[in-house]
């Protein structure tokens, strides 16, 4: 169960791929009903409901249509103009949100349509966070004339829900195609800067998992956390059953082993490459026959989805109302405080997306993304968190303890400036290091330490 962010090919290749395999904009009623436009940018263009293939093509090619209230620049195509007058435009990114295998089994084999609704709601919540926090563009600052990043952009996205893997295993997932076109507060359309998507990838996955887990708990399902990042499975669905219905995962693992790539959990980028190398074409299938095949396989494994569903419905009837003294706000506060302590053990400064992901991962389904954001804001108001500068773009945080350690370190360095005798003259150190195995940067660090008179010398560099 992961959130993956894939590259969409050039407009001609990309649109041709979507139409050839019918993977995104297939011309059949069932497929169309499983698609939807999303984002304030889509609404500004008058795009709503099921995704129309022709409008989808236009969006991927960067065309600002002559439709909707936001189409004042009708007919213009976004992108970079080449010397020959042609326009080069990246279509966008494919954000895929995939349910845990046990969830897919209960939805597809168990026939619990409520799970599909819970999945859709989790996708909607996740896309809402993406639009608010990860969608940016570049624009000229009117005050300085410099190109700067700007957030608060309206997103255009098209979602397509699928329920099988390429190996025809049950696999509930949604492709959210985030188009490379955003609308700013000035109503102008620009291309998207997608760094925010990649920097927020862990948070995006955590948000989807948390929202889905909460929805499942509300349906009476028990949730068992399986990984530190908040991944989970439905209780009552054994690992044997999960593995038996995960032939696509087994195929990727086998490909990685064969090519000496290691394990997928340790090498996510290589796993993505292996997935591409082993990818089979999507194919038309008899849905009824596929469902019967799944039922036969479940029976052979001794798995009764009906039993798990019955237990969930019984638990749902016995669910108590909200506890005012232990509601989401309290749970979110505890989770956020734990996440801060957890991250601060290893980092003096950490990103907002990492903090949000850790908060949501502590107990799947206990905290929603909105509650987590409010809890983090409360920690800032209370002085437990302080805004800080990070190495990458986006919001970053630090703590009182980290700031105190930094102040103490600076004080020690200042107190020790010029307080010691030189250990070794620089030219002597150069002679002794001349034939050593250290690289030039490492040699320079050694000479700085030995020839200096400061009690504390800071050396910054990559590990090793």
């Amino acid at each position: 169960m992961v959130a993956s962010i894939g590259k969409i090919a050039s407009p001609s290749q990309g649109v041709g791929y979507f139409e050839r395999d019918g993977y995104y904009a297939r011309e059949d009623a069932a497929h169309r009903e499983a698609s939807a436009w999303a984002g304030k940018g889509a609404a500004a263009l008058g795009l709503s409901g099921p995704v129309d293939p022709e409008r989808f093509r236009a969006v991927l090619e960067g065309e600002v249509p002559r439709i909707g209230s936001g189409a004042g620049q009708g007919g213009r195509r976004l992108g970079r103009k080449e010397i020959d007058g042609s326009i080069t435009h990246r279509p966008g990114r494919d954000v895929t949100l995939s349910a845990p295998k046990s969830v897919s089994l209960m939805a597809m084999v168990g026939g619990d349509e409520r799970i599909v609704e819970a999945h859709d709601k989790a996708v909607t919540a996740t896309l809402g966070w993406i639009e608010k926090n990860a969608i940016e563009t570049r624009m000229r600052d009117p005050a300085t004339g410099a190109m700067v990043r700007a957030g608060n952009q309206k997103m255009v996205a098209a979602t397509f829900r699928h329920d099988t893997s390429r190996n025809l295993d049950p696999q509930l997932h949604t492709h959210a195609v985030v188009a490379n076109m955003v609308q700013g507060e000035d109503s102008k359309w620009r291309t998207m800067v997608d760094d925010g998507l990649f920097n927020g990838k862990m948070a995006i996955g955590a948000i989807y998992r948390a929202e889905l887990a909460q929805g499942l708990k509300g349906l009476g399902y028990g949730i068992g956390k399986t990984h530190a990042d908040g991944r989970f499975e439905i209780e009552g669905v054994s690992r044997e059953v999960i593995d038996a219905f995960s032939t696509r995962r087994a195929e990727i693992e086998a490909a990685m082993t064969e090519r000496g790539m290691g394990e997928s959990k340790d090498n996510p980028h290589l796993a993505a490459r292996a997935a591409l190398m082993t990818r089979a074409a999507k194919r038309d299938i008899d849905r009824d026959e596929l469902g019967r095949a799944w039922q036969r396989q479940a029976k052979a494994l001794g798995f009764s989805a009906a039993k798990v569903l019955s237990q969930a419905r019984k638990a749902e009837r016995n669910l108590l109302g909200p506890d005012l003294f232990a509601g989401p706000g309290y749970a979110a506060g505890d989770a956020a405080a734990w996440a801060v302590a957890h991250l601060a053990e290893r980092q003096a400064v950490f990103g907002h997306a990492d903090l949000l992901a850790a908060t949501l991962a502590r107990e799947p389904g206990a905290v929603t993304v909105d509650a987590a954001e409010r809890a983090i804001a409360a920690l800032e108001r209370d002085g437990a968190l302080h805004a800080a500068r990070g190495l990458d773009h986006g919001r970053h945080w630090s703590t009182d303890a980290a700031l105190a350690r930094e102040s103490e370190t600076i004080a020690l360095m200042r107190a020790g400036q010029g307080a010691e005798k030189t250990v070794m003259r620089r030219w002597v150190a150069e002679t002794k290091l001349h034939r050593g195995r250290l690289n030039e940067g490492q040699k320079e660090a050694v000479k700085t330490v030995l020839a200096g008179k400061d009690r504390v010398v800071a050396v910054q560099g990559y590990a090793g």
Side-chain angles (χ1 to χ4, degrees), residues 264-280:
S264 61
K265 65 182 179 64
D266 300 322
N267 302 282
H269 297 296
L270 293 180
R273 284 177 54 194
L276 289 173
M277 288 187 287
T278 60
R279 174 177 286 178

Side-chain angles (χ1 to χ4, degrees), residues 328-342 355-363 366-367 372 375-376 379:
Y330 291 91
D334 289 343
W338 173 86
V340 168
H342 174 70
L355 176 57
L356 182 62
T359 300
L360 295 172
R362 189 188 186 196
E363 183 182 347
V367 179
I376 292 171
L379 290 175

Side-chain angles (χ1 to χ4, degrees), residues 129-161:
W129 185 89
I130 288 174
E131 180 166 40
K132 184 178 180 180
N133 297 276
I135 300 300
E136 299 174 311
T137 190
R138 285 190 180 92
M139 59 186 297
R140 196 169 299 281
D141 186 337
T144 65
M147 295 299 292
V148 296
R149 289 190 184 188
N152 198 26
Q153 303 295 306
K154 295 179 181 179
M155 174 182 73
V156 180
T159 64
F160 306 88
R161 184 188 348 107

Side-chain angles (χ1 to χ4, degrees), residues 1 99-103 105 171 224-227 231-247 249-250 253 297 301 303:
M1 175 185 52
K101 182 61 66 175
S102 58
V103 176
L105 285 169
Q171 188 56 60
K225 184 176 178 179
T226 59
H227 294 74
R231 279 175 282 175
F232 66 87
E233 297 289 353
I234 287 178
E235 293 177 350
V237 183
S238 71
R239 173 52 56 183
E240 178 189 8
V241 172
I242 290 171
D243 290 343
F245 279 96
S246 302
T247 59
R249 169 54 54 189
E253 296 284 0
Q297 184 178 2
L301 292 166
F303 171 60

Side-chain angles (χ1 to χ4, degrees), residues 104-138:
S104 298
L105 285 169
M106 290 309 303
M108 304 298 110
V109 179
D112 191 350
E113 295 182 357
R114 303 174 305 161
I115 289 179
V116 178
E117 294 179 8
H119 165 79
D120 287 345
K121 289 180 180 178
V123 169
T124 298
T126 305
L127 290 178
W129 185 89
I130 288 174
E131 180 166 40
K132 184 178 180 180
N133 297 276
I135 300 300
E136 299 174 311
T137 190
R138 285 190 180 92

Side-chain angles (χ1 to χ4, degrees), residues 43-391:
L45 293 174
L47 301 173
S48 62
V51 177
D52 176 79
E54 289 306 313
R55 290 189 175 181
F56 181 56
R57 168 191 280 272
V59 164
L60 287 180
E61 293 186 342
E63 294 181 8
V64 182
R66 293 186 178 89
I67 55 175
S69 59
Q73 296 169 266
R76 188 168 75 91
R77 186 178 175 192
L78 301 176
R80 184 178 69 250
K81 190 171 184 178
E82 305 294 352
I83 297 177
D84 61 1
S86 63
I87 300 293
T88 299
H89 178 77
R90 291 184 297 104
R93 295 291 179 178
D94 180 357
V95 180
T96 305
L97 301 171
S98 186
K101 182 61 66 175
S102 58
V103 176
S104 298
L105 285 169
M106 290 309 303
M108 304 298 110
V109 179
D112 191 350
E113 295 182 357
R114 303 174 305 161
I115 289 179
V116 178
E117 294 179 8
H119 165 79
D120 287 345
K121 289 180 180 178
V123 169
T124 298
T126 305
L127 290 178
W129 185 89
I130 288 174
E131 180 166 40
K132 184 178 180 180
N133 297 276
I135 300 300
E136 299 174 311
T137 190
R138 285 190 180 92
M139 59 186 297
R140 196 169 299 281
D141 186 337
T144 65
M147 295 299 292
V148 296
R149 289 190 184 188
N152 198 26
Q153 303 295 306
K154 295 179 181 179
M155 174 182 73
V156 180
T159 64
F160 306 88
R161 184 188 348 107
H162 294 246
D163 54 19
T164 64
S165 70
R166 288 184 175 271
N167 285 16
L168 301 183
D169 292 323
Q171 188 56 60
L172 179 62
H173 63 284
T174 291
H175 293 272
V177 179
V178 180
N180 185 22
M181 55 190 301
V182 298
Q183 187 183 39
E185 294 179 299
D186 57 4
S187 297
K188 291 184 178 180
W189 291 92
R190 299 178 177 88
T191 54
M192 174 179 67
V193 175
D194 53 21
D195 292 7
L197 280 176
F198 289 97
N199 292 338
K201 180 180 176 180
M202 299 304 292
I204 291 169
I207 292 165
Y208 168 71
R209 288 190 290 267
E211 296 289 332
L212 177 61
Q214 184 170 80
L216 293 171
K217 284 183 175 181
L219 299 178
Y221 286 101
I223 298 299
K225 184 176 178 179
T226 59
H227 294 74
D229 63 4
R231 279 175 282 175
F232 66 87
E233 297 289 353
I234 287 178
E235 293 177 350
V237 183
S238 71
R239 173 52 56 183
E240 178 189 8
V241 172
I242 290 171
D243 290 343
F245 279 96
S246 302
T247 59
R248 178 69 179 138
R249 169 54 54 189
E251 191 175 79
I252 294 171
E253 296 284 0
M256 293 187 68
T257 300
E258 181 182 344
R259 293 168 173 82
M261 293 179 171
E263 296 187 22
S264 61
K265 65 182 179 64
D266 300 322
N267 302 282
H269 297 296
L270 293 180
R273 284 177 54 194
L276 289 173
M277 288 187 287
T278 60
R279 174 177 286 178
K282 284 274 186 175
R283 51 195 184 274
D284 291 329
I285 53 174
D286 184 323
R287 300 291 306 184
D288 293 336
E289 177 54 35
L290 180 60
R292 288 190 290 270
W294 287 342
Q295 294 293 343
R296 289 193 296 270
Q297 184 178 2
K299 184 177 181 180
L301 292 166
F303 171 60
S304 174
K307 181 179 179 181
V308 178
L309 176 57
S310 175
Q311 292 172 341
R313 289 192 178 279
K314 182 178 179 180
E316 181 187 18
R317 290 193 294 270
N318 295 330
L319 286 175
L320 300 176
D323 185 343
L324 297 179
F325 296 98
Y330 291 91
D334 289 343
W338 173 86
V340 168
H342 174 70
L343 293 174
E345 286 179 356
R346 299 166 179 81
Q347 305 170 66
V349 176
F350 42 87
H352 180 79
D354 292 335
L355 176 57
L356 182 62
T359 300
L360 295 172
R362 189 188 186 196
E363 183 182 347
V367 179
T368 65
V369 61
D370 289 339
E373 292 281 23
R374 289 193 296 270
I376 292 171
L379 290 175
E380 182 186 19
R381 287 195 304 271
D382 295 342
L385 277 178
H386 304 279
R389 292 181 60 184
L391 295 177

Side-chain angles (χ1 to χ4, degrees), residues 1-22:
M1 175 185 52
V2 295
S4 65
I5 301 175
K7 178 181 179 181
I8 298 177
S10 65
S12 58
Q13 292 175 329
V15 174
Y17 167 68
F18 302 146
E19 294 181 342
R20 181 178 65 252
D21 284 355

